[in-house]
């Protein structure tokens, strides 16, 4: 089973990327955010969910392992397949979706292709208590700097949660947070 892929992004198709690894191109279906963040001819890493069926062999890729984990949890819900799970993550994002599940707010899923009212409610009920939410300090300048550097919301939130409160200079806080992430 393929767990991760790291290679050069050679093509950006309508809802997938082609990742070249030693001359072999793997088509990886991604969320809208991951697709948008991928840069052509740059090395990218993806956490992979592999779906093998009689008529298809699909790879779903996520830059952040938390997105892959939530994707797998969505697949455990009756009536949610990979396309619906990917559409749900694309529409809501990991953090917003986790917060909606935590609060039981199915309205976030309105308008997601393939998700009706019953499916949205089923997602909320079946995943309640199984999804951890990250209360991201979105107004913190250090947090925003870490997000700007490409760290995930959860990585940035964890890094600044451990910073001493007496250090107020943003530059110093970012340096300390980066050291914390590197451990």
């Amino acid at each position: 089973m393929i767990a991760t892929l790291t290679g050069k992004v050679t093509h950006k198709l309508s809802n997938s990327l082609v990742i070249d690894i030693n001359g072999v191109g793997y088509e990886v279906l991604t969320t809208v955010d991951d697709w948008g963040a991928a840069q052509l001819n740059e090395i990218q890493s993806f956490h992979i969910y592999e779906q093998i069926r009689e008529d298809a062999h699909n790879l779903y890729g996520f830059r952040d392992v938390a997105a892959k984990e939530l994707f797998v949890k969505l697949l455990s819900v009756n009536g949610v397949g990979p396309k619906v799970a990917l559409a749900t993550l694309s529409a809501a994002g990991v953090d917003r979706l986790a917060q909606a599940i935590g609060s039981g707010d199915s309205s976030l899923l309105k308008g997601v292709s393939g998700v009706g009212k019953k499916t949205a409610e089923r997602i909320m009920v079946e995943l309640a208590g199984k999804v951890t939410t990250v209360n991201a300090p979105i107004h913190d300048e250090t947090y925003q700097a870490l997000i700007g550097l490409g760290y995930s919301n959860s990585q940035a939130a964890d890094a600044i949660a451990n910073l001493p409160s007496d250090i107020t200079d943003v530059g110093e806080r970012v340096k300390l947070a980066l050291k914390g992430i590197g451990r």
Side-chain angles (χ1 to χ4, degrees), residues 130-173:
K130 296 180 183 177
V131 176
T132 57
T133 60
V134 176
N135 291 326
I138 59 172
H139 300 294
D140 187 299
E141 289 180 75
T142 306
Y143 173 84
Q144 292 298 331
L146 294 172
I147 296 298
L149 290 171
Y151 291 98
S152 71
N153 293 343
S154 59
Q155 288 173 314
D158 289 345
I160 67 169
N162 299 320
L163 294 177
S165 60
D166 61 327
I167 298 176
T168 57
D169 180 67
V170 174
E172 287 299 314
R173 290 176 58 81

Side-chain angles (χ1 to χ4, degrees), residues 3-129:
T4 62
L5 286 176
T6 300
K8 185 190 296 185
V9 177
T10 59
H11 297 86
K12 290 178 89 169
L13 306 175
S14 62
N15 65 342
S16 63
L17 303 169
V18 176
I19 312 297
D20 181 279
I21 301 172
N22 297 324
V24 177
Y26 294 90
E27 184 175 1
V28 178
L29 296 139
T30 64
T31 63
V32 172
D33 288 344
D34 287 348
W35 187 91
Q39 299 297 315
L40 286 174
N41 298 317
E42 291 200 9
I43 303 295
Q44 301 278 308
S45 292
F46 293 91
H47 300 276
I48 300 296
Y49 174 83
E50 188 175 18
Q51 177 198 39
I52 301 173
R53 297 186 334 207
E54 186 176 309
D55 61 340
H57 186 158
N58 296 317
L59 301 175
Y60 296 86
F62 308 91
R63 290 184 312 139
D64 186 30
V65 72
K68 178 187 175 186
E69 290 172 353
L70 186 51
F71 177 82
V72 171
K73 287 177 183 173
L74 284 167
L75 292 177
S76 72
V77 176
N78 187 24
V80 177
K83 287 182 182 178
V84 170
L86 197 62
T88 303
L89 280 172
S90 289
V94 174
D95 294 330
R96 285 183 54 214
L97 182 57
Q99 289 174 347
I101 291 169
S103 67
D105 180 15
S106 65
S107 65
L108 178 67
L109 303 179
K110 284 184 180 174
V112 174
S113 178
V115 179
K117 183 178 179 182
K118 288 182 182 179
T119 303
E121 290 172 359
R122 195 176 309 123
I123 289 170
M124 297 302 152
V125 169
E126 291 186 27
L127 296 184

